[in-house]
Amino acid sequence: MAVISSDERTRHLSPSDDAHVVDLEERALARRQRLDKLGTWLLPLIMIALGLIIWDVIVKVNEIPHYILPGPGRVWATLTADWRLMLDALSITLAITGMALLAAVIGGAGLAILFKLLRVIEMSLYPYAVILQVTPIVAIAPLIFIYVEERLIGLLICAWLVAFFPVLSNTTLGLNSVDHNLRDLFKIYRASRWQRLIHLELPSALPYFLGGLRIAGGLALIGAVVAEYVAGTGGIGSGLAFTILEAGYRLNIPRMFAALILIAATGIVIYALSSFVSWLLLHKWHESAVKREQ
Amino acid sequence: MPNIPSAVGPILSLRNVGKVFGGTVTALDDMSLDVHDGDFVSLLGPSGCGKSTALRLIAGLMRPTAGRIVWSDTGRTSTGGQDLGVVFQEPTLMPWATVEDNIWLPMRLAKISKSAVRKEIDEILDVVGLSGFENAYPRELSGGMKMRVSIARAMVTHPKLILMDEPFAALDEITRFKLNNDLLEMKARIGCTVIFVTHSVFESVFLSNRVVVMAARPGRVVQELHIDEPYPRREEFRTSPEYAAHCRAASDALHAAIMNTSAEAA
Ligand SMILES: Nc1ncnc2c1ncn2[C@@H]1O[C@H](COP(=O)(O)OP(=O)(O)OP(=O)(O)O)[C@@H](O)[C@H]1O
Ligand SMILES: [Mg+2]
């Protein structure tokens, strides 16, 4: 009897019990998601702070002289003390990187579209695009600086050469990965070549193009920095890379670190920006940018 | 060859149509078929018997290597644009466009603004039962709903003929039955003619007034069955003895076609 009654009681209780359990589970899930969100921001910050502290401790405990390894405090001091010089260098590097990226996007995507519209052009020009891509930029750069008088233009060309190929090849891939049934549908509805490009091929290529853009952003910065190393001499229009080079000659290690940090920060900002643009354009419809509930 | 008067004659005739790929693969051999206004014709047959090939020929996506396809009202040899709707096995929607923009596509390509066809779009959304979803993106819809959008896009221009290539093959059975019922209703409301490719005996008998049974290697028509049951057909039709009898006949014809094929292949 006792067994039955307890059984009955549990059965009786079970619906509200279930609701309770579901409630708990849901709350736990919500808490986990909140922690997850917090963690994605907090953890990296904590790790970076930890790295800085360890760096500082190592320098202090081992009494490493600042001309060999400056502590983070000293690097920060250099950064703020030389801020005019640093800002000038940063703005030059930023300008070259930005313009090169812009030119890479226009040139790469434009060429990809031209290739798509006119196979003859693709067949004739693609070899050149590949040759330029596979030849290391440091090998081409000295020639460019001989032929191009204007230093800034030379830097721009170098950065552009490195950045443009991923945009070209990704956009080409995208333009060619149109769903074949959609292509047939456009044919049945008698779409013009232009309509097919605008309403079908370009939207299909967008996610691929944005992937290329993200790669190109990083490469444009690399191209700008490497080109400046090759260009060597300073003067007006010296960017962060030349700052490092010059500081190296003078064994001004803290300044080298300061410039290095600015370059890294620039790279991060470019990556964040291009990721944001990607998200902006894709989050409504593309799987890569869709957040799923687990 | 003289044109058949359109009032009583077929809207579309396939006359001894054949298609050979690469000079060796006979995908379709000597197919003749008259499609009349309001027909629901199913092409039923095993894989590789040329069903999709027949549809692609009719859609004008390829040219036949033998015979002629005649649209009898004008005597022209191809159609397209606003006169034809197509539904593929996959929903084939543009993922970057909303439901209403996907449905707008046929008109958009004919350079008609969305505001000018607002009424047609809303009407067809109602026909396929998707009112309220006009601004959803395809990824937000279930497989069955995506297929409804695809059907809406094919029907929105009120075409004379709609071609459907195994549109429900990838859906679960419950969704498929529901869409079968709804498709007949949609067809009645739009008043179009349908050529429907399927592997399913039950589906073809439920939907069609004519079932064309085909065999493979080479792809050809082996038999045509008439399902002379009145429309509207509702869920009750599925359990009726007439339905069972037609299904048995179609099933026998399909088996004969398959046996025929394997005997020749062996
Ligand atoms: N573009 C093509 N090039 C060469 N052969 C093809 C082509 N398209 C189809 N075929 C061949 O033609 C035959 C008929 O193909 P089809 O796609 O029309 O068959 P189906 O009846 O639609 O088959 P399924 O039910 O599997 O879709 C097959 O043997 C196929 O391999
Ligand atoms: Mg097929």
Side-chain angles (χ1 to χ4, degrees), chain B residues 192-240:
Chain B
C192 55
T193 306
V194 178
I195 303 181
F196 187 97
V197 164
T198 179
H199 280 132
S200 162
V201 168
F202 305 108
E203 192 171 58
S204 65
V205 171
F206 182 75
L207 293 172
S208 334
N209 62 331
R210 297 164 65 197
V211 177
V212 174
V213 182
M214 298 176 69
R217 269 167 274 135
R220 65 201 185 277
V221 176
V222 288
Q223 198 175 338
E224 185 180 327
L225 301 159
H226 289 264
I227 316 292
D228 290 322
E229 303 296 335
Y231 294 95
R233 295 176 189 168
R234 304 201 195 285
E235 195 55 38
E236 301 84 72
F237 180 53
R238 285 189 199 280
T239 48
S240 69

Side-chain angles (χ1 to χ4, degrees), chain B residues 76-242:
Chain B
R76 65 199 161 144
T77 51
S78 81
T79 188
Q82 311 263 311
D83 290 340
L84 188 69
V86 180
V87 180
F88 300 94
Q89 181 169 348
E90 284 82 40
T92 313
L93 304 176
M94 302 178 290
W96 55 85
T98 58
V99 166
E100 68 175 23
D101 283 353
N102 267 290
I103 296 174
W104 174 35
L105 181 75
M107 281 99 71
R108 185 183 205 177
L109 293 178
K111 303 204 174 67
I112 302 171
S113 76
K114 189 156 65 170
S115 51
V117 287
R118 183 76 262 167
K119 212 179 96 241
E120 281 85 345
I121 293 176
D122 288 342
E123 212 175 277
I124 206 70
L125 275 167
D126 179 50
V127 169
V128 300
L130 281 180
S131 299
F133 286 95
E134 39 276 90
N135 292 317
Y137 284 85
R139 67 167 180 82
E140 298 166 318
L141 306 178
S142 70
M145 288 158 91
K146 282 184 208 164
M147 205 32 107
R148 286 174 190 272
V149 178
S150 193
I151 293 171
R153 177 180 58 195
M155 286 184 168
V156 70
T157 56
H158 291 252
K160 212 177 318 181
L161 181 65
I162 293 182
L163 307 175
M164 306 179 93
D165 194 350
E166 301 186 46
F168 308 141
L171 301 175
D172 64 275
E173 187 153 301
I174 296 170
T175 309
R176 183 153 19 130
F177 276 18
K178 179 87 175 81
L179 273 166
N180 281 168
N181 296 348
D182 291 354
L183 177 61
L184 285 183
E185 230 166 85
M186 297 172 200
K187 175 182 178 293
R189 277 181 71 174
I190 298 297
C192 55
T193 306
V194 178
I195 303 181
F196 187 97
V197 164
T198 179
H199 280 132
S200 162
V201 168
F202 305 108
E203 192 171 58
S204 65
V205 171
F206 182 75
L207 293 172
S208 334
N209 62 331
R210 297 164 65 197
V211 177
V212 174
V213 182
M214 298 176 69
R217 269 167 274 135
R220 65 201 185 277
V221 176
V222 288
Q223 198 175 338
E224 185 180 327
L225 301 159
H226 289 264
I227 316 292
D228 290 322
E229 303 296 335
Y231 294 95
R233 295 176 189 168
R234 304 201 195 285
E235 195 55 38
E236 301 84 72
F237 180 53
R238 285 189 199 280
T239 48
S240 69
E242 293 83 8

